Amino acid sequence: MGDYGHPLTFGSFLTPGNADPSRVVGLAVLAEQVGFDLVTFQDHPYQPAFLDTWTLMSFVAARTRTVRLAANVTNLPLRPPAVLARSVASLDLLSGGRVELGLGAGAFWEAIEAMGGRRLSPGQGVRALAEAIEVIRQVWDADARGGVRVDGEFHRVVGAKRGPAPAHDVGIWLGAYKPRMLALTGRRADGWLPSLGYLQPGDLARGNAAIDEAAREAGRSPGDVRRLLNVTGRFTPVGRGLLQGPPEQWAEELADLALGDGISTFILGSDDPEDLRRFAAEVAPAVRDLVAAERTAATAPAAPGPVPVTAPAEPPVERPPAGAGAFAVVPTPDDGVRRSAIRVWDETTRPTGPAPDPARTYTPHDQAGAQHLVDVHDGLRAELARLHDLVEQVGAGLLDAGTARSHINTMTIRQNKWTLGTYCESYCRVVTTHHTLEDRGIFPHLRAGDPRLAPVIDRLEQEHHAIHDVLERVDRALVAFVSVSDGMAELRAAVDLLSDTLLSHLAYEERELVEPIARLGLH
């Protein structure tokens, strides 16, 4: 148990209400825009207030490009497994490999019966789910010989043609809580997907143990099963309990769940756009940083103990560590493009750190730590590009508003202002959080490990303060933007200056620190 080492991903858990169908679609599109990896929807086919989940997923797949989609979780008693398998594979092909399959044994049996489903006992539900998984996997195994054959107690398929195969290896994630379902998860599933609100203290550890044991008995590795978790909470200025507090508290608590209970996918249950923005912009990056730092520290070689002084018969032959090679992490270069006429600092006065030793080799683990810095910065660059897109979209909207064609158009523009404002504020907060983590953790570690880096780190810290001032300028422009009718020029100028300073800073930091991070590790 503990950390299974899976890459961290983050998702949203949306209510498919049909009172305003465009709202849930808009939330799904927003989730992709702010950087979520996954969007999931409740699946309750007997609920007349809900859109049909699979129809909704198809519509959302056509409106998005990168985010993955899943039911959370599919109501199996009302979804025949052979038909479900082809539905999943078809949507996966149409979406370019962006569909996963959450499955549940069933609940709310009176409603299921009212829709024509069969009421099952808990034991029957587990057996029916096991049979369904076998049907689904056989349908997807399009290259196997013969038809699909499962002569089960609840599901019977006698020679159906196989296929289509999905575009990628679709994960089957089970919503499981009881021992028999947990054992099935370990034997046959690719993921465990419970909800934190349904768990008691210690349930995650006990569930992991049951899944791990069943996986080993089935000849699998426990790491074959990803651990996902639906979470809910409230963002508040002061901590009031688990996931009841500021974003930094959320990040620490989710990092603890990742490192202590192996959770690698966190899915936020909320239909509040601001919650989605804050979770994606402030919580998710901080969790990634905290977990990466702990994983690096946990795998760093221990300090050597005292070595007896003996005269070797002949000098030892130095050999590079297994898998070691030349440094291969590529810093992102500064393209030199500047949008603003203002210069916050003189780039020609930036110090340079020590030149790397050309004879040194680096293990894959060494280089992973360096690559992590580039990956974090790439996330900031992608968010900055989205910010520019939003500014341009809203600018176009303001020009339309100038014609004052209708009250509806005016309300749409106001909503666009609010959306842009909250997005900008969230982005400013995540930049500040990232810099704080560097100032308090990474920079002191590098400074102590190689004093020659001190001038570079001093300069980077000075630039952090300068960027903070630029973020304050963006904040002031936002106040003007939402308060007056002609604030777009000031906002665009502030965002252009933020783009110039931040992209220049990130390129400089990568140029100077990726090799030292590989050499000295992250702290």
Side-chain angles (χ1 to χ4, degrees), residues 128-337:
L129 180 56
E131 294 173 5
I133 293 173
E134 181 61 28
V135 171
I136 292 167
R137 292 202 187 280
Q138 285 197 35
V139 170
W140 290 345
D141 190 5
D143 294 332
R145 299 182 62 182
V148 177
R149 295 191 177 275
V150 177
D151 190 8
E153 179 183 0
F154 304 96
H155 300 294
R156 186 168 181 267
V157 183
V158 287
K161 294 186 180 296
R162 297 173 183 267
H168 84 296
D169 290 333
V170 173
I172 296 180
W173 305 333
L174 301 190
Y177 299 91
K178 301 298 183 181
R180 283 177 291 194
M181 280 287 288
L182 294 168
L184 176 61
T185 303
R187 292 195 307 272
R188 297 288 288 144
D190 304 300
W192 178 33
L193 177 53
S195 294
L196 186 59
Y198 293 161
L199 298 172
Q200 298 299 316
D203 280 354
L204 281 174
R206 286 186 287 271
N208 278 330
I211 291 169
D212 292 354
E213 180 181 2
R216 293 189 187 97
E217 290 177 351
R220 309 176 70 199
S221 166
D224 293 341
V225 184
R226 174 178 281 271
R227 318 300 159 115
L228 309 94
L229 188 65
N230 295 318
V231 300
T232 56
R234 291 181 59 218
F235 290 108
T236 60
V238 179
R240 299 174 181 172
L242 180 63
L243 300 184
Q244 304 283 328
E248 54 267 27
Q249 176 187 322
W250 280 59
E252 291 173 359
E253 291 170 347
L254 296 186
D256 286 344
L257 289 169
L259 297 165
D261 292 295
I263 306 300
S264 55
T265 297
F266 295 98
I267 304 173
L268 177 66
S270 177
D271 298 319
D272 184 333
E274 178 60 10
D275 283 352
L276 298 178
R277 292 187 185 95
R278 297 194 75 175
F279 190 78
E282 299 179 60
V283 177
V287 175
R288 287 191 170 101
D289 283 344
L290 291 169
V291 171
E294 287 296 323
R295 286 176 173 175
T296 300
T299 56
V307 179
V309 178
T310 58
E314 57 185 47
V317 177
E318 289 191 8
R319 294 182 176 86
F327 189 65
V329 178
V330 180
T332 304
D334 185 346
D335 61 11
V337 174

Side-chain angles (χ1 to χ4, degrees), residues 340 342 344 467-479 490-491 493-495 497-498:
S340 173
I342 300 173
V344 174
I467 291 171
H468 175 77
D469 293 339
V470 175
L471 292 171
E472 290 292 322
R473 185 188 294 244
V474 173
D475 186 64
R476 291 193 297 271
L478 281 168
V479 172
E490 183 179 352
L491 178 60
V495 173
L497 181 59
L498 174 63

